[in-house]
């Protein structure tokens, strides 16, 4: 191989690897890139382990627990574990308090399945920066498996 | 009727099995009669599926709630229009819709090639039938849209999610599907070519228009999805790297790579294997996308079906891989290139880089979308990949691609000399640099990504204008035409080239819209009736809080007026609202209200309210340049229409409408799409 070609190839390889490496480092440096998901029962039982760690927590909104401070977007509600999918049965009747400030999706209501992203606080509550909610399975999700279709 | 529909599906299964076998057997026995009967089989499949689809629509229209699918996706109170279009509202119906569209495309392809490409047809047709059989079997045994309640059928339906009762949602899935499925036909022809061993330019020539049609539908489908999200979901954006969106974006990337690299095979007989690989990948990605969105393999906020059809899809994907890659390896000798790359400063090489980048993007998006699933399979932990992960990678990739869009078309085939390079790039480079300086010092933009995007946009536009300018000038001088005539002849003489340029200009315009995101503003604010708030160049005043009920839903509306900041000049009324539907029970929707202008959108969401205190919590956003995204799509469609229309020589040679069939289908449907877009904006 002529030397000039070798140089060209080495140069392009360096650029590509360098750019890729830079991007990779850049992505990994961002805290919001990868967030672990934890079911509510795991968080309820092992609260201390999650202190100061950004997680996504999944569960159901406990009935009649949604409180909204009048004239604001400050929500507080209780999240309970998803029955039937629990690793820690002792968390069955327990809930965790979640605080969230912001606009909630239309699907956010009693019994809705929610995924909240945020951190467990030293006082045992969960402060969410992001909230996703799914209707209590009125649409597609349940139909196939439960034969209501 | 439901039984009839089911019977039709069974018949489709039989006929498509026959058609596939007849095509292959006929080819081997050299039986003309079998070959002809196979061709008619393709039309029969189309006929049967059309009847089955009509049957399903009919069941929706007559409110037959003994059919589970109908019961699940409609109710009596829905307007007729939405009842009919609920056809593709759920999984089972959308599978039927899918095969039906495929049978339409298939029938057109077979008709169009009825006395051309004889050697390609048998295996292509057989491939098409295998895919048909797969989908029909899936429906018959696993996702039957005609399934009825054994006893005690409900008297009313559950209703369609109001979020989906929106004109975009009516037009968006069919567009995406037309695009998705459009790629099936080129894939079948690729397999046909591989199986037969006729690997020259023939199959690609037969398929170029199909690919363009599929490509444009996919593009428009993607944009409509974004438009829907922007209008309906109320978070003020149009793209969130959601798996459902990514699923359609992945084949778009490989498809775009394909329509470029085929040009190299056409001109220089290179990249043959590569082109086949790209079309196979594109098809695989459409399957993967369907599997992801329709089987709950990947979690998504769109919350589509979770069911076991994923396993079947997975099996089918493996089968497709084995067959396609097996054939590629089997034919590897015949696929060796006939000429090599001569220079890096050539269009061939530019296309190669274009392909690498598009492929890298496709690979990255696929990887990142599947990452949570893969990670869970390996470590058992669930992890989420956020949009920032996608953006970190895709923004640089997009910018490089945009830059190349300016470079590639100006390079010559084989080798560009120093003189041509200077001739082609001096002006655009100067304009680009001046533009960049102007943006920094004149406008004061410091956000580097936006700055890069905008400067590259200026550079690329000037390359495109230069091409048009030079061509027109040349004609004006040589043929003595006036500017307008010269431009028209220029474009009609080389539709492909100038159509391509217009498409590229559309991409540039879209990037302007993407860049605008860097400058968006957002405020959440509680307002009392009568109070005002300032955001960007607007003052927004809450005038009233209205409570109404129209029988189907209760509506809370915040009546607001937008003013030019610091003045009393009214810019119009905005009425963000919250609707609570009776059916499905408790379903609420947020009705966004926005004021559109070319420089930005004022976007209001009613986040909460207090009737007694007469306060409303408003979420206010200013989204600069978003409308350029939709505007760019228009250019994309116009460019496509120019590129896809047969050149004059071709028209003479054929002198029939036949050759133009896909172009006509494409243009008509696109015209419809444009109409919806236009209507949506009034
Ligand atoms: C997102 C980006 C792009 C899109 C959507 C796009 C789309 C298109 C389309 C639809 C055509 C018409 C094809 C035909 O008529 O068969 C075309 C032509 C073309 N594209 Fe692109 N393209 C993109 C990027 C690029 C890049 C990066 C290059 C650089 C290598 C490039 C180079 C060309 C060339 C040279 C033509 C043909 C013009 C001619 O016939 O002379 N494109 N493009």
């Amino acid at each position: 191989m002529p030397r000039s070609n070798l140089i060209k190839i080495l140069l392009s390889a360096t650029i590509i690897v360098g750019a890729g490496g830079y991007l990779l480092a850049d992505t990994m440096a961002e805290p919001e890139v990868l967030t672990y998901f934890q079911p509510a029962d795991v968080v309820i039982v092992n609260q201390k382990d999650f202190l100061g760690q950004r997680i996504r927590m999944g569960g159901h909104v406990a009935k009649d627990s949604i409180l909204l401070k009048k004239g604001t977007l400050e929500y507080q509600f209780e999240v309970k574990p998803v029955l039937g999918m629990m690793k820690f049965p002792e968390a069955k009747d327990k809930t965790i308090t979640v605080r969230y400030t912001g606009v909630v999706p239309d699907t956010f209501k009693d019994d809705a399945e929610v995924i909240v992203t945020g951190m467990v606080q030293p006082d045992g509550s969960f402060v969410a920066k992001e909230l996703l909610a799914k209707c209590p399975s009125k649409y597609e999700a349940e139909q196939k498996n439960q034969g209501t279709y | 009727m439901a039984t009839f529909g089911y019977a039709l599906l069974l018949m489709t299964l039989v006929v498509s099995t026959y058609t596939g076998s007849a095509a292959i057997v006929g080819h081997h026995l050299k039986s003309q009669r079998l070959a002809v009967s196979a061709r008619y089989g393709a039309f029969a499949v189309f006929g049967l599926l059309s009847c089955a689809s009509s049957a399903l629509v009919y069941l929706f229209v007559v409110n037959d709630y003994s059919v589970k699918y109908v019961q699940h996706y409609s109710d009596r109170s829905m307007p007729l229009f939405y009842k009919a279009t609920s056809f593709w509202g759920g999984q089972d119906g959308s599978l039927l819709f899918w095969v039906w569209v495929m049978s339409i495309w298939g029938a057109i392809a077979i008709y169009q090639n009825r006395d051309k490409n004889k050697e390609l047809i048998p295996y292509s047709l057989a491939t098409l039938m295998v895919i048909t059989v797969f989908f029909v079997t899936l429906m018959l045994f696993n996702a039957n849209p005609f399934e009825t309640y054994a006893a005690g059928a409900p008297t009313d339906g559950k209703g369609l999610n109001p979020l989906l009762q929106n004109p975009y949602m009516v037009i968006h899935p069919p567009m995406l599907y037309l695009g998705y499925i459009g790629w099936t036909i080129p894939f079948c022809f690729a397999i046909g070519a591989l199986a037969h061993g006729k690997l020259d330019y023939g199959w690609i020539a037969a398929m170029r228009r199909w690919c363009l049609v599929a490509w444009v539908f996919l593009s428009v489908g993607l944009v409509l999805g974004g438009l829907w999200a922007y209008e309906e979901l109320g978070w003020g954006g149009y793209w969130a790297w959601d798996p459902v969106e990514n699923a359609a974006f992945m084949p778009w990337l490989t498809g775009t790579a394909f329509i470029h690299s085929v040009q190299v095979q056409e001109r220089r007989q290179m990249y043959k294997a590569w082109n086949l690989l790209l079309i196979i990948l594109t098809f695989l990605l459409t399957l993967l996308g369907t599997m992801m969105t329709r089987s709950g393999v990947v979690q998504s906020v769109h919350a589509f079906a979770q069911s076991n059809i994923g396993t079947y899809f997975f099996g089918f994907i493996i089968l497709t891989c084995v067959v396609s890659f097996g054939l590629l390896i089997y034919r590897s000798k015949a696929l060796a290139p006939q000429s090599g790359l001569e220079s890096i400063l050539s269009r061939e090489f530019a296309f190669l880089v274009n392909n690498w980048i598009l492929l890298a993007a496709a690979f990255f998006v696929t990887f990142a979308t599947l990452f949570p699933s893969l990670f869970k399979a390996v470590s058992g932990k669930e992890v989420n990949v956020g949009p920032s992960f996608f953006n970190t990678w895709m923004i640089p990739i997009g910018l490089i691609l945009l830059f190349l869009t300016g470079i590639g078309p100006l390079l010559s085939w084989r080798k560009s000399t120093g003189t041509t390079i200077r001739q082609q790039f001096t002006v655009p480079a100067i304009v680009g640099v001046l533009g960049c300086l102007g943006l920094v010092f004149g406008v004061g933009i410091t956000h580097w990504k936006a700055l890069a995007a905008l400067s590259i946009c200026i550079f690329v536009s000037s390359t495109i204008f230069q091409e048009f300018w030079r061509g027109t000038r040349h004609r004006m001088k040589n043929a003595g035409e006036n500017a307008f005539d010269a431009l028209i002849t220029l474009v009609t003489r080389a539709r492909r080239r100038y159509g391509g340029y217009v498409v590229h200009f559309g991409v540039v315009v879209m990037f302007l819209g993407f860049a605008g995101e860097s400058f968006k503003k957002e405020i959440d604010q509680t307002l009392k009736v009568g109070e005002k708030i300032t955001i960007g160049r607007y003052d927004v005043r809450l005038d009233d809080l209205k409570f109404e009920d129209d029988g189907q839903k209760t509506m809370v509306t915040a009546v607001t007026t937008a003013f030019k900041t610091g003045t009393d000049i009214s810019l119009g009324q905005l009425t963000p609202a919250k609707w609570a539907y009776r059916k499905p029970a408790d379903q609420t929707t947020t009705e966004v209200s926005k004021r559109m202008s070319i420089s930005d959108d004022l976007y209001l969401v009613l986040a909460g309210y207090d009737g007694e205190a007469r306060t409303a919590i408003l979420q206010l956003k200013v989204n600069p340049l978003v409308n350029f995204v939709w505007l760019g799509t228009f250019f994309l469609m116009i460019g496509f229409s120019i590129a896809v229309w047969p050149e004059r020589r071709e028209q003479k040679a054929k002198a029939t409408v036949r050759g133009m069939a896909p172009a006509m289908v494409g243009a008509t449907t696109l015209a419809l799409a444009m109409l919806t877009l236009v209507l949506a904006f009034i």
Side-chain angles (χ1 to χ4, degrees):
Chain A
M1 194 186 292
R3 253 188 79 188
S4 67
N5 269 4
L6 194 68
I7 293 176
K8 268 184 213 156
I9 290 174
L10 280 181
L11 210 64
S12 355
T14 325
I15 293 175
I16 292 172
V17 172
Y22 169 74
L23 284 180
L24 202 63
D26 196 27
T27 347
M28 287 308 154
E30 223 163 311
E32 276 151 46
V33 167
L34 293 184
T35 337
Y36 286 101
F37 175 87
Q38 300 291 352
D41 55 317
V42 176
V43 181
I44 290 171
V45 174
N46 307 305
Q47 260 170 21
K48 296 212 179 51
D49 300 351
F50 293 110
L51 268 182
Q53 208 183 333
R54 229 181 94 94
I55 52 170
R56 280 157 70 84
M57 181 177 72
H60 281 290
V61 179
K63 214 172 177 59
D64 299 326
S65 75
I66 302 179
L67 302 173
L68 172 62
K69 199 159 155 197
K70 245 196 177 148
T72 68
L73 289 174
E74 290 167 32
Y75 289 86
Q76 179 177 328
F77 55 97
E78 299 293 319
V79 168
K80 61 180 189 205
V82 183
L83 295 177
M85 284 177 54
M86 285 195 297
K87 284 189 196 142
F88 296 95
E90 65 264 35
K92 189 162 142 291
D93 299 317
K94 295 198 181 131
T95 61
I96 177 166
T97 307
V98 176
R99 280 178 282 140
Y100 170 79
T101 306
V103 179
V104 296
D106 294 323
T107 39
F108 175 71
K109 46 186 59 136
D110 281 359
D111 292 328
E113 199 179 320
V114 284
I115 296 180
V116 283
T117 311
M119 286 195 212
V120 180
Q121 305 297 310
D123 68 357
S125 67
F126 188 99
V127 171
K129 289 264 178 283
E130 192 189 300
L131 185 150
L132 294 175
K134 208 157 94 181
C135 273
S137 305
K138 262 199 227 91
Y139 302 110
E140 307 223 25
E142 49 149 23
Q143 31 165 295
K144 277 287 154 184
N145 305 332
Q146 305 184 356
T148 54
Y149 199 57
Chain B
M1 198 44 134
T3 333
F4 176 61
Y6 190 73
L8 284 170
L9 288 183
L10 271 176
M11 274 157 71
T12 313
L13 182 64
V14 175
V15 175
S16 49
T17 314
Y18 166 79
T19 305
S21 328
I24 291 183
V25 175
H27 176 66
H28 280 277
L29 298 180
K30 303 220 167 10
S31 154
Q32 188 64 31
R33 284 180 57 199
L34 269 180
V36 172
S37 87
R39 216 166 58 208
Y40 283 113
F43 300 136
V45 168
F46 161 60
L48 286 168
L49 287 171
S50 303
C51 292
S53 303
S54 316
L56 191 57
V57 172
Y58 174 80
L59 289 169
F60 268 110
V61 172
V62 300
N63 305 321
D64 189 338
Y65 297 119
S66 64
V67 178
K68 291 183 180 176
Y69 186 73
V70 175
Q71 201 267 336
H72 213 99
Y73 290 103
S74 70
D75 69 65
R76 287 181 197 278
S77 72
M78 266 161 64
L80 186 68
F81 177 63
Y82 287 120
K83 273 186 197 163
T85 52
S86 297
F87 172 22
W88 53 72
Q91 173 189 282
D92 305 358
S94 61
L95 286 178
L96 177 58
F97 185 67
W98 175 292
V99 254
W100 179 54
V101 171
M102 191 163 76
S103 73
I104 303 176
W105 279 155
I108 296 176
I110 297 299
Y111 179 72
Q112 192 199 357
N113 285 291
R114 62 178 187 254
D115 33 45
K116 281 187 301 185
N117 300 311
K118 279 245 157 56
E119 54 303 321
L120 290 179
I121 295 296
Y123 286 103
S124 311
L125 185 54
T127 313
L128 185 67
M129 287 304 135
V130 172
I131 304 171
T132 310
V133 168
F134 168 69
F135 275 99
V136 175
T137 316
L138 204 61
M139 272 191 288
L140 284 175
F141 299 110
N142 230 284
N144 175 14
F146 294 106
E147 195 174 339
T148 51
Y149 286 102
T155 53
D156 199 358
K158 295 190 183 172
L160 187 69
N161 187 336
L163 279 180
L164 302 181
Q165 296 189 31
N166 168 291
Y168 295 120
M169 261 306 153
V170 171
I171 185 90
H172 162 64
M175 282 286 156
L176 266 191
Y177 278 16
L178 286 170
Y180 253 32
I181 302 157
W183 292 108
T184 312
I185 306 294
F187 168 77
C188 292
F189 272 70
I191 295 294
L194 273 172
H196 183 272
K198 189 174 180 296
L199 290 164
D200 58 8
Y201 180 62
W203 74 274
I204 285 180
M207 282 299 119
R208 171 178 163 256
R209 282 209 180 88
W210 282 107
C211 296
L212 281 181
V213 171
W215 174 84
V216 82
F217 278 127
L218 203 51
S219 314
V220 175
L222 281 166
V223 173
L224 284 175
L227 207 47
W228 171 73
Y230 187 61
E231 298 257 313
E232 283 293 300
L233 297 184
W235 51 273
Y238 44 84
W239 189 264
W241 297 110
D242 185 86
V244 173
E245 299 161 351
N246 296 347
F249 189 48
M250 285 148 26
W252 185 89
L253 290 166
T254 50
T256 307
F258 179 77
I259 53 180
H260 288 95
S261 71
V262 286
Q263 300 181 25
V264 184
Q265 180 164 353
E266 180 182 0
R267 290 298 188 96
R268 306 268 288 116
Q269 283 74 50
M270 290 156 63
Y271 305 167
K272 278 187 207 164
W274 180 248
N275 285 328
L276 287 160
L277 187 70
L278 279 179
I279 198 72
I280 291 167
L281 274 182
T282 306
F283 178 68
L284 280 172
L285 287 175
T286 63
L287 284 182
L288 185 71
T290 321
M291 172 173 124
M292 272 165 36
T293 49
R294 286 287 162 203
S295 66
V297 171
V298 176
Q299 279 293 328
S300 152
V301 284
H302 289 237
F304 279 124
Q306 300 208 334
S307 73
N308 47 0
I309 69 168
T311 335
Y312 296 87
F313 264 99
F314 191 66
F316 193 64
I317 289 176
I318 299 288
L319 176 75
T320 313
C321 283
V322 170
V323 173
S324 320
F325 294 124
L327 278 170
L328 265 183
I329 294 165
Y330 176 66
R331 296 283 178 203
S332 54
K333 271 224 185 73
L335 289 170
Q338 281 156 15
S339 49
L341 209 54
E342 287 175 26
S343 162
I344 286 189
L345 290 174
S346 65
R347 197 177 289 183
E348 294 91 308
F349 188 71
F351 276 134
L352 196 60
V353 180
N354 154 317
N355 273 220
W356 283 342
I357 294 190
L358 284 165
L359 221 59
F363 175 77
F364 168 74
V365 175
T366 313
F367 173 75
T369 311
L370 292 178
F371 184 73
S373 314
L374 297 176
F375 193 77
K376 191 175 176 197
V378 174
S379 73
K381 285 191 192 159
E382 287 185 48
V383 41
N384 176 259
V385 178
S388 61
F389 182 65
F390 284 92
N391 284 336
T392 322
W393 288 76
M394 290 305 284
I395 291 174
I397 290 181
L399 290 179
I400 298 174
L401 199 62
L402 185 64
F403 185 62
L404 274 178
T405 313
I407 307 269
L410 299 196
L411 296 176
S412 341
W413 291 101
R414 288 168 188 274
K415 189 171 170 59
S416 307
T417 59
T419 337
T420 45
I421 300 250
R422 239 168 289 133
Q423 240 176 21
Q424 296 280 49
F425 291 108
T426 315
V427 176
I430 293 176
V431 174
V433 171
L434 286 182
C436 181
L437 293 176
L439 288 172
V440 178
F441 298 109
V443 191
I445 293 177
T446 47
H447 192 290
W448 77 267
K449 281 173 190 158
L451 183 65
L454 294 174
S455 315
I456 300 176
C457 284
I458 295 175
F459 165 72
V460 180
S461 320
S462 55
T463 62
I464 296 169
F465 280 113
Q466 177 179 277
E467 283 290 285
F468 275 97
W469 173 253
R470 287 201 178 144
T472 312
R473 279 286 297 273
H474 190 73
R475 281 208 69 81
M476 284 166 69
K477 255 202 218 118
N478 289 10
E481 292 165 334
N482 67 31
F484 183 74
D485 284 347
L487 182 65
I488 297 292
T489 355
L490 182 74
V491 174
T492 41
R493 287 280 165 85
R495 288 174 208 264
R496 257 183 98 167
R497 175 161 168 202
Y498 290 99
Y501 290 161
V502 176
V503 172
H504 288 173
F505 185 66
V507 173
V508 169
V509 174
M510 290 177 85
F511 267 86
L512 289 178
F514 303 155
E517 275 226 14
S518 316
F519 310 114
K520 67 177 179 215
K521 297 194 180 72
E522 182 179 329
I523 304 177
D524 294 343
Q525 179 75 31
T526 312
L527 287 180
K528 257 189 153 56
V529 170
E531 277 179 341
K532 247 186 194 181
I533 171 149
T534 306
I535 180 166
R537 61 192 187 98
Y538 301 100
D539 281 349
V540 177
R541 186 180 71 202
L542 178 67
D543 296 331
D544 193 11
L545 201 57
K546 269 197 313 209
F547 296 83
E548 290 157 303
D549 193 321
D550 72 349
Q552 194 196 8
K553 55 186 178 286
T554 55
M555 300 174 280
V556 184
T557 313
V559 183
T560 64
T561 313
F563 299 95
K564 222 169 142 176
T565 26
T567 69
D568 281 334
I569 305 167
S570 164
L571 299 173
Q573 208 175 52
L574 285 94
T575 51
K578 260 195 188 311
W579 292 354
Y581 283 77
R582 302 240 149 71
K583 198 151 204 187
D586 272 352
Q587 178 76 39
T588 47
T589 62
T590 298
E591 300 296 315
V592 174
S593 176
K594 56 192 194 321
R595 178 186 184 276
M596 299 177 29
S597 70
I598 196 73
S599 55
D600 59 25
D601 273 6
L602 173 64
Y603 185 102
L604 296 194
V605 174
L606 177 62
Y609 54 85
D610 184 336
E612 284 162 36
R614 312 273 301 149
T615 58
I617 304 170
L618 290 179
Q619 190 172 41
L620 307 102
K621 292 176 206 250
V622 172
N623 294 323
L625 307 182
V626 269
N627 290 312
F628 280 90
V629 178
W630 328 129
L631 191 68
T633 316
F634 266 106
F635 282 105
L636 215 80
M637 291 194 267
I638 293 167
F640 154 81
S641 312
I642 297 173
V644 83
W645 211 255
E647 311 255 335
R648 198 168 290 157
R649 268 170 286 128
E650 281 179 80
Q651 281 176 9
K652 278 224 185 81
K654 278 176 204 139
T656 59
V657 274
R658 226 192 298 159
M660 301 200 279
M664 304 237 289
V665 174
T668 325
T669 326
L670 267 186
L672 281 177
M674 283 200 192
L675 201 71
T676 359
L677 270 174
V678 171
L679 286 180
F681 276 103
I682 306 176

